[in-house]
């Protein structure tokens, strides 16, 4: 029997995604830096928190173009403290406002303060949320087992440069790795944060062996891969998704065109 693993788009084995919360004005500088280095991020925004230190709603579509906008609660509430119907309203109303200003579906969420319990996580799919990020750093390069409790690798001030060094040096891989970094752009104003972020982007950006993706792009691709249908002999596979997928098959990279059956 052949050795078969799902791998990332274009045959890559490494993925990088970033997640930043709150929509503060420092996002402007951060987006400029990320765009210069070809790095993608998800920005989790509170549509009801507007003021002089916040990006105005009217700028969302233009500023975050090429990245992902996700919900973070209209007023950034602790989700486990509020009555469940009110917590649900915070998510749904945030989606509605963000979608109005960006003209695109909002399908991701980051738990304010990282607060989540079983009831909160369970209600999110009915609100149109497909994944939700926690603040529980794993220190690992794993893809999530539970998309509604997606734990990141590390916070921007949790040994980031050490993790990225380990990540870029990994070689001879047989299964994909994910480096998931989270934080707040306003935090970079302290502890020489912008210098650190520049070093990070220079070290990890512009490489030809990393898939730079938003949170939702990773979710969508992994969902497509999980729905591949193999024959009993694993000699053919049907990709019923709308996008191409890739497999590692006995050391070779195999592209699976969307909607087609491919011989392995």
């Amino acid at each position: 029997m052949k050795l078969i693993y799902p791998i990332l788009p274009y045959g890559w084995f490494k993925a990088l995604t970033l997640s930043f919360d709150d929509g503060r004005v420092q996002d402007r500088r951060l987006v400029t830096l990320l765009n210069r280095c070809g790095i993608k991020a998800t920005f989790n925004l509170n549509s009801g928190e507007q003021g002089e230190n916040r990006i105005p709603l009217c700028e969302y579509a233009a500023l975050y173009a090429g990245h992902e906008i996700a919900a973070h609660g209209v007023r950034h509430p602790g989700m486990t403290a509020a009555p469940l119907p009110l917590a649900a309203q915070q998510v749904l109303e945030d989606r509605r406002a963000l979608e109005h200003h960006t003209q695109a579906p909002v399908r991701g969420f980051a738990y304010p303060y990282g607060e989540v319990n079983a009831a909160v996580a369970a209600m999110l799919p009915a609100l149109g949320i497909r994944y939700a990020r926690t603040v529980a750093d794993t220190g690992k390069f794993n893809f999530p087992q539970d998309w509604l409790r997606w734990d990141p690798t590390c916070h921007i001030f949790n040994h980031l440069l050490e993790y990225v060094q380990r990540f870029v040096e990994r070689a001879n891989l047989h299964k994909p790795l994910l480096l998931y970094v989270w934080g707040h752009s306003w935090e970079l104003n302290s502890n020489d944060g912008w210098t650190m972020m520049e070093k990070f982007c220079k070290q990890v950006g512009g490489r030809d062996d990393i898939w730079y993706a938003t949170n939702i792009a990773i979710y969508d691709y992994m969902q497509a891969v999980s729905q591949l249908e193999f024959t009993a002999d694993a000699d053919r596979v049907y990709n019923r998704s709308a996008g191409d997928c890739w497999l590692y098959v006995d050391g070779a990279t195999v592209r699976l065109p969307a909607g087609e059956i491919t011989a392995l």
Side-chain angles (χ1 to χ4, degrees):
M1 184 175 179
K2 294 178 179 178
L3 185 63
I4 300 174
Y5 293 113
I7 54 177
L8 301 174
Y10 314 108
W12 289 324
F13 285 86
K14 296 178 182 179
L16 171 69
T17 194
L18 280 66
S19 179
F20 288 91
D21 300 351
D22 297 351
R24 300 289 184 91
V25 292
Q26 290 83 1
D27 280 4
R28 296 190 183 106
R29 180 176 177 181
L30 178 60
V31 169
T32 299
L33 173 59
L34 298 180
N35 289 347
R36 188 169 72 240
C37 298
I39 297 172
K40 300 291 186 180
T42 292
F43 290 88
N44 309 291
L45 307 177
N46 315 105
S47 59
E49 294 290 297
Q50 295 289 291
E52 62 178 352
N53 293 320
R54 304 269 182 166
I55 303 294
L57 289 164
C58 62
E59 287 188 32
Y60 282 3
L63 176 62
Y64 300 113
H67 301 277
E68 178 195 1
I69 289 178
H72 197 37
V74 175
R75 299 296 306 277
H76 199 276
M79 300 296 287
T80 59
L84 202 59
L86 299 184
Q89 188 177 36
Q90 287 282 340
V91 178
L92 193 57
E93 291 303 317
D94 203 26
R95 277 195 64 209
R96 181 175 286 117
L98 296 173
E99 291 171 351
H100 174 75
H101 286 275
T102 62
Q103 298 297 295
V106 169
R107 299 187 290 143
F109 185 67
Y111 296 108
Y113 311 109
E115 292 185 10
V116 56
N117 58 27
V120 169
M123 77 177 181
L124 293 180
L127 303 175
I129 298 299
R130 299 294 170 245
Y131 74 82
R133 195 212 73 217
T134 74
V135 296
D137 291 2
T138 66
K140 299 178 181 179
F141 303 133
N142 295 338
F143 288 80
Q145 296 298 309
D146 182 351
W147 291 99
L148 296 175
R149 294 176 184 263
W150 190 349
D151 299 330
T153 303
C154 66
H155 182 269
I156 51 174
F157 283 122
N158 184 9
H159 306 290
L160 174 60
L161 297 182
E162 296 176 24
Y163 283 118
V164 73
Q165 183 68 29
R166 288 166 47 197
F167 180 71
V168 298
E169 289 179 350
R170 293 286 293 272
N172 301 316
L173 300 171
H174 299 296
K175 64 177 183 178
L177 304 179
L178 171 64
L179 173 58
Y180 188 149
V181 179
W182 78 280
H184 308 80
S185 61
W186 53 264
E187 294 177 285
L188 296 170
N189 284 353
S190 61
N191 299 315
D192 208 20
W194 288 107
T195 299
M196 181 270 295
M197 199 66 193
E198 291 270 1
K199 290 179 180 178
F200 166 78
C201 290
K202 182 178 180 180
Q203 188 171 7
V204 79
R207 298 175 62 94
D208 60 6
D209 62 342
I210 294 176
W211 179 33
Y212 303 101
T214 62
N215 289 191
I216 196 63
I218 291 172
Y219 170 84
D220 284 341
Y221 181 78
M222 298 306 288
Q223 289 298 302
V225 165
S226 72
Q227 296 174 25
L228 294 174
E229 299 185 359
F230 294 84
T231 59
D233 290 333
D235 60 349
R236 285 174 174 77
V237 59
Y238 172 43
N239 176 12
R240 60 192 182 95
S241 74
D244 295 352
C245 295
W246 279 259
L247 293 176
Y248 171 94
V249 182
D250 280 348
T253 297
V254 178
R255 172 178 164 265
L256 311 178
E260 296 186 16
I261 296 174
T262 302
L264 300 178

